[in-house]
Amino acid sequence: MTFDAQPDPAMVGAIDLHVHGYPDVGLRWRMRTDDLTLAKLARAYGMAGIVLKSHFWPTMDRALLLNELLDADNFTIYSSITLNQLVGGISPMAVEAAAAHGARVVFLSTWGSANDHAHGGVVRRQVIDPMFPSFSGHLDRSAIRVVDGNGRLSAECRDVMAVSADLGLTVSTGHLSTDESLAVARHAADMGFQKLIFAHPFSPSIRAERAVMGEIADLGVTVEMTQALTVLPRAPITVGDIHATIGELGSQRVVLTSDVFFDWLPPQAEVFRMFLGQLRSLGCTTEELRTMVVDNPARLLSR
């Protein structure tokens, strides 16, 4: 696959913190490109890196091999771990071991969270349930919450935050509920942890109000806005909603990501270019865009 790369000026040096590669949930769930093609396109568009995410398995070994194949000084594939049941859930041991293998980002529970399970999230409905019909029953018994009945953060989640802080990792709230994300954000503020991302708050299983986004951002958390939510057949939001939210929060408190997960969408780099172009057409400046895709991701990934 070849593209005539015409990058948006804001993409030069950008890092996308939420990129799904292939395979993610299984070989049957096809993505638009293989990982190497995805990375080459992103580099051709002027980007400086991506964070490779999987809902199922850690991506450290893949990232290591891909970086060796690319052998590029100006582009890095960063790896991550998602704390669903398959890797032990909210496990500080999994985080420490992942970091030793090169992981830079920790995603708290996604499809394995009690919140996502209760709402039958997009990944569950369209991907996991058709491919793995037993999972829903298992989640009835093992879905993950990180707060107790009094809203207190679990000891395991506090330990994950402590390990992440000690090792200089970035943490994303994944598919946790708004209440859980607030609890994580407050704990992060108490411990002086400034590398927390409030993940896609417009997601159908989260649906955070802008006031809540502001409250979380006021605690030092960076709020993620994903392109994928605007291009779904029944899109819960528009790019206009994202533009309005950026106006309220300020670009210094936002990161833009692709989160592309379907083979009928353009490749990640092209989706990202479209996203930035749409936001510019609504009034975002190149400086604001670069804050959200270059400066903020670099700060979050810094050691």
Side-chain angles (χ1 to χ4, degrees), residues 134-158:
S134 71
F135 274 34
S136 183
H138 291 303
L139 287 172
D140 288 340
R141 301 181 294 276
S142 66
I144 296 167
R145 276 187 62 81
V146 300
V147 297
D148 63 20
N150 295 313
R152 292 174 299 199
L153 200 62
S154 69
E156 293 82 5
C157 194
R158 293 196 302 271

Side-chain angles (χ1 to χ4, degrees), residues 15-19 49-53 78-80 105 107 301:
I15 303 173
D16 186 344
L17 298 174
H18 197 149
V19 176
I50 61 172
V51 173
L52 191 62
K53 177 189 178 181
Y78 300 92
S79 59
S80 66
V105 179
F107 293 92
L301 290 172

Side-chain angles (χ1 to χ4, degrees), residues 257-268:
T257 67
S258 61
D259 191 17
V260 177
F261 203 73
F262 301 94
D263 64 358
W264 42 265
L265 284 171
Q268 172 272 338

Side-chain angles (χ1 to χ4, degrees), residues 153 157-159 161-162 182-193:
L153 200 62
C157 194
R158 293 196 302 271
D159 288 344
M161 297 296 290
L182 268 168
V184 174
R186 288 167 180 153
H187 181 72
D190 288 343
M191 61 187 292
F193 183 68

Side-chain angles (χ1 to χ4, degrees), residues 10 63 68 80 94 109 134 142 149 152 169 204 216 263 278 287 294:
E68 290 177 353
S80 66
S109 305
S134 71
S142 66
R152 292 174 299 199
L169 306 181
I216 290 178
D263 64 358
Q278 288 171 314
E287 181 181 5
V294 179

